[in-house]
């Protein structure tokens, strides 16, 4: 495919050309009212983005916010794919992007989005019907503006704006767009770092949990199943009266990560006890019981040294209280009912369900039927009765999870 340099495309205005008169701009299209509206939209967008958590969806809000500030008909965000030579549409507002255009090859030089990214400069098409070299990804937009998003290590993507009418964007608007995109580049860079950090942090902690678990001889799917059972129950709870606004999507995401940490304290239990292929003596069992408190202490130490975050906070709850019982006869604290954190009440059911349906060094696996009967039978004594009753309704889903993560 021929490479078409941006300057050869009719209707394209290079950044250098624009820079000539950039300093002379005074007029604001739409006047002062429009200007103050833009400022308000901009500051509320920035305020929102600064408070974003690592796993909150951001791109949708970003395009909506930027589109609002610029008052365009369509605003699209493309980001460079991590591995393939492609731009990926991560967010769009004002139009539906056809599926075939959500991924754009970096060799598609006729696409303004690609050009802006590859050449690292602003591509402005005041009238797409006259710019024969440019192939917009969306039809129905006569004016088009594409700006590269330049991160610390070069371009990371493109912001693209469109209007239904021909006539393009005023210089002032292009300046405003450049400034906005620079700010978004900064926000995206921050977000990338935060996500990277949070992913590696989670991975390290999950690795620790796995290590702890593997010593028990369970190198199979136990942790994955635990997380999946907990997630399943939490999803069922999500719309139940009393749980709306408590069991949110965010809560479930955190729970899924924290559930893996429930037995992390088993790192501190000797092989002689942990791997004993028989019933534990009373003394041995009292040592075994320390794994709950020990796990919570390990995670609390991490919080002291590395700061607290939701997965760790809930991890502490889950580790500490997953052997508490609804009737108060559990350990380590013997607390009862709703004094036991919800996360731990959920994980307790998932834990026993998985322990019973699995083979252990000290026991054979139980059938699904016997296990569900046991869980139902323990509703109100061992388990939160409300949760246990919801859980045992999920026979098919539970079996599917076991098949997905075998031992
Ligand atoms: P685990 O094997 O992951 O079991 C978790 C929980 O599932 C147990 O907590 C218990 O509530 C339930 N559970 C597991 N197996 C059975 C069973 O055969 N019958 C009944 N009714 N419930 C069962 P628990 O009892 O607090 O035990 C905590 C951990 O202590 C167990 O985790 C396991 O690592 C260890 N453990 C418990 N009993 C024995 C044993 O007899 N021999 C050995 N070697 N380890 C044991
Ligand atoms: C979105 O906002 O479209 C979700 C993508 C993300 O921010 O991770
Ligand atoms: C648009 O902003 O017009 C959509 C993207 C494109 O046409 O390349
Ligand atoms: C509820 O809050 O609706 C029931 C409490 C529980 O069993 O967790
Ligand atoms: Fe445990």
């Amino acid at each position: 495919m021929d490479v078409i340099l941006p300057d050869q495309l009719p209707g394209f205005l290079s950044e250098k050309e624009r820079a000539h008169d950039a300093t002379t701009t005074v007029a604001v299209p739409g006047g002062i009212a429009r200007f103050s509206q833009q400022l308000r939209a901009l500051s509320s967008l920035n305020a929102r983005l600064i408070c974003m958590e690592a796993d909150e969806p951001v791109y949708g809000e970003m395009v909506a916010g930027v589109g609002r500030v610029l008052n365009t008909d369509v605003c699209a965000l493309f980001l460079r794919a991590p591995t393939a030579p492609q731009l990926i549409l991560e967010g769009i507002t004002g139009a539906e992007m056809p599926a075939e255009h959500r991924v754009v090859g970096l060799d598609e030089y006729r696409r303004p989005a690609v050009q802006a990214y590859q050449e690292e400069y602003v591509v402005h098409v005041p009238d797409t019907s006259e710019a024969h070299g440019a192939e917009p990804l969306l039809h129905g937009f006569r004016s088009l503006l594409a700006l590269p998003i330049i991160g610390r290590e070069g371009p990371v993507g493109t912001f693209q704006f469109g209007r239904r009418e021909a006539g393009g964007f005023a210089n002032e608007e292009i300046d405003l767009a450049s400034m906005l995109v620079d700010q978004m580049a900064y926000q995206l860079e921050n977000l990338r770092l935060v996500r990277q950090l949070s992913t590696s942090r989670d991975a390290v902690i999950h690795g620790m949990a796995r290590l702890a678990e593997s010593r028990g001889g369970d190198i199979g799917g136990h942790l994955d199943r635990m997380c999946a059972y907990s997630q399943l129950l939490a999803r069922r709870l999500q719309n139940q009266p009393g749980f709306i606004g408590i069991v949110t999507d965010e809560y479930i995401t955190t729970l899924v990560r924290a559930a893996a940490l429930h037995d992390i304290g088993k790192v501190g239990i000797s092989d002689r006890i942990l791997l004993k292929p028989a019933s534990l003596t009373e003394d041995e069992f009292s040592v075994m019981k320390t794994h709950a408190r020990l796990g919570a202490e390990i995670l609390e130490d991490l919080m002291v040294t590395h700061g607290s975050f939701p997965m760790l906070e809930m991890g502490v709850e889950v580790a500490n209280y997953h052997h508490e019982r609804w009737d108060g006869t559990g350990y380590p604290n013997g607390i009862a009912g709703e004094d036991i954190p919800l996360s731990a009440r959920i994980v307790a059911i998932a834990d026993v369900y998985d322990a019973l349906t699995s083979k252990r060094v000290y026991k054979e696996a139980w059938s699904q039927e016997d296990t569900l009967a046991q869980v139902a039978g323990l509703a109100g004594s061992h388990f939160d009765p409300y949760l246990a009753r919801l859980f045992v309704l999920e026979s098919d889903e539970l079996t599917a999870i076991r098949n997905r993560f075998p031992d």
Side-chain angles (χ1 to χ4, degrees):
M1 184 187 183
D2 284 343
V3 175
I4 298 182
L5 293 175
D7 292 336
Q8 296 165 342
L9 284 172
F12 280 33
L13 191 62
S14 79
E15 192 152 31
K16 289 184 206 85
E17 286 173 275
R18 280 203 307 107
H20 273 305
D21 54 6
T23 51
T24 66
T25 61
V26 183
V28 179
I32 199 72
R34 168 81 194 119
F35 180 64
S36 81
Q37 212 177 16
Q38 283 173 325
L39 261 185
R40 264 204 307 274
L42 176 60
S43 61
S44 80
L45 173 64
N46 272 326
R48 250 315 268 152
L49 291 175
I50 284 164
C51 303
M52 280 286 184
E53 297 280 341
D55 42 17
E56 258 183 283
V58 162
Y59 305 135
E61 230 173 297
M62 198 178 263
V63 290
V66 169
R68 220 168 11 248
V69 176
L70 273 182
N71 197 24
T72 59
D73 293 322
V74 65
C75 170
L77 168 65
F78 293 88
L79 290 179
R80 172 67 202 263
T83 50
Q86 292 166 337
L87 291 179
I88 302 197
L89 181 80
E90 297 285 4
I92 185 164
T93 177
E96 282 289 319
M97 185 70 80
E100 71 270 21
H101 284 157
R102 295 186 154 254
V103 176
V104 193
L106 287 184
D107 56 356
E108 296 182 48
Y109 285 99
R110 285 187 165 83
R111 306 289 187 200
V114 171
Q115 286 231 335
Y117 174 86
Q118 294 282 50
E119 307 296 337
E120 297 184 34
Y121 76 53
V122 176
V123 176
H124 182 203
V125 186
D127 188 345
T128 51
S129 66
E130 287 171 10
H132 301 293
E135 285 179 22
L137 294 168
L138 274 178
H139 295 286
F141 295 95
R142 290 280 299 279
S143 310
L144 198 145
L145 181 67
L147 296 96
I149 305 165
I150 316 281
R152 206 177 320 181
E153 282 150 25
V156 297
T158 305
F159 256 102
Q160 188 135 331
F161 307 98
R163 284 198 175 127
R164 288 179 210 290
E165 304 80 40
F169 294 78
N171 284 337
E172 296 80 6
E173 292 180 295
I174 299 178
D175 289 334
L176 179 61
S178 302
M179 186 200 78
L180 261 174
V181 169
D182 284 348
Q183 286 203 11
M184 293 310 118
Y186 173 78
Q187 299 276 14
L188 287 166
E189 184 82 7
N190 271 348
L191 188 73
R192 193 183 60 80
L193 289 174
V194 167
R195 283 183 177 174
Q196 202 174 51
L197 208 66
S198 117
T199 305
S200 45
R201 192 184 60 189
D202 289 0
V204 168
I205 295 174
H206 197 83
M208 258 169 49
R210 237 173 220 294
L211 200 65
E213 203 62 41
S214 69
R215 278 195 50 243
D218 301 310
I219 39 177
H222 171 61
L223 282 186
D224 292 323
R225 291 193 301 270
M226 279 294 300
C227 298
Y229 297 145
S230 303
Q231 182 183 44
L232 173 64
L233 181 51
R235 286 215 180 117
R236 292 300 176 265
L237 270 183
Q238 193 163 22
N239 303 314
Q240 302 290 329
F243 296 93
I244 294 161
I246 296 171
V247 181
T248 57
D249 286 343
E250 214 177 342
Y251 182 94
I252 296 177
T253 305
T254 305
L255 177 69
V256 168
R257 292 178 190 161
L261 304 175
H262 71 288
D263 264 349
I264 203 158
K266 281 186 179 171
V267 285
I269 306 300
S270 72
D271 282 356
R272 191 182 59 75
I273 295 177
L274 193 66
L275 302 179
K276 184 179 177 186
S279 295
L280 301 177
T281 65
E282 205 173 307
D283 283 349
E284 287 166 341
F285 195 53
S286 61
V287 173
M288 175 57 84
K289 283 172 168 178
T290 64
H291 82 275
R293 187 64 226 138
L294 194 61
E297 280 166 9
I298 290 170
L299 299 174
E300 277 163 356
D301 279 352
L302 277 181
M303 274 164 63
V304 170
T305 51
H306 292 87
S308 136
F309 50 97
M311 172 201 192
L312 265 193
E313 276 165 32
M314 201 182 282
V316 170
E317 287 178 0
V318 158
N320 208 5
Y321 300 118
H322 72 282
H323 287 294
E324 299 290 356
R325 296 178 182 224
W326 185 253
D327 63 10
T329 64
Y331 63 88
N333 297 305
I335 57 175
E338 288 184 18
D339 285 347
I340 308 166
L342 178 64
S343 58
R345 282 182 271 148
I346 293 172
V347 167
I349 297 175
D351 186 33
V352 172
Y353 175 83
D354 197 58
L356 293 181
T357 49
S358 302
K359 186 175 156 38
R360 291 274 195 267
V361 287
Y362 63 92
K363 63 173 269 299
E364 286 305 315
W366 293 25
S367 73
Q368 160 95 335
E369 204 189 343
D370 290 348
T371 306
L372 288 181
Q374 173 85 349
V375 170
L378 293 172
S381 55
H382 191 149
F383 302 129
D384 178 334
Y386 190 82
L387 304 191
R389 281 183 211 117
L390 277 180
F391 189 83
V392 297
L393 295 176
E394 298 298 332
S395 180
D396 291 347
E397 281 289 322
L398 294 169
T399 305
I401 291 169
R402 154 126 338 239
N403 292 337
R404 183 144 38 99
F405 304 113
D407 267 325

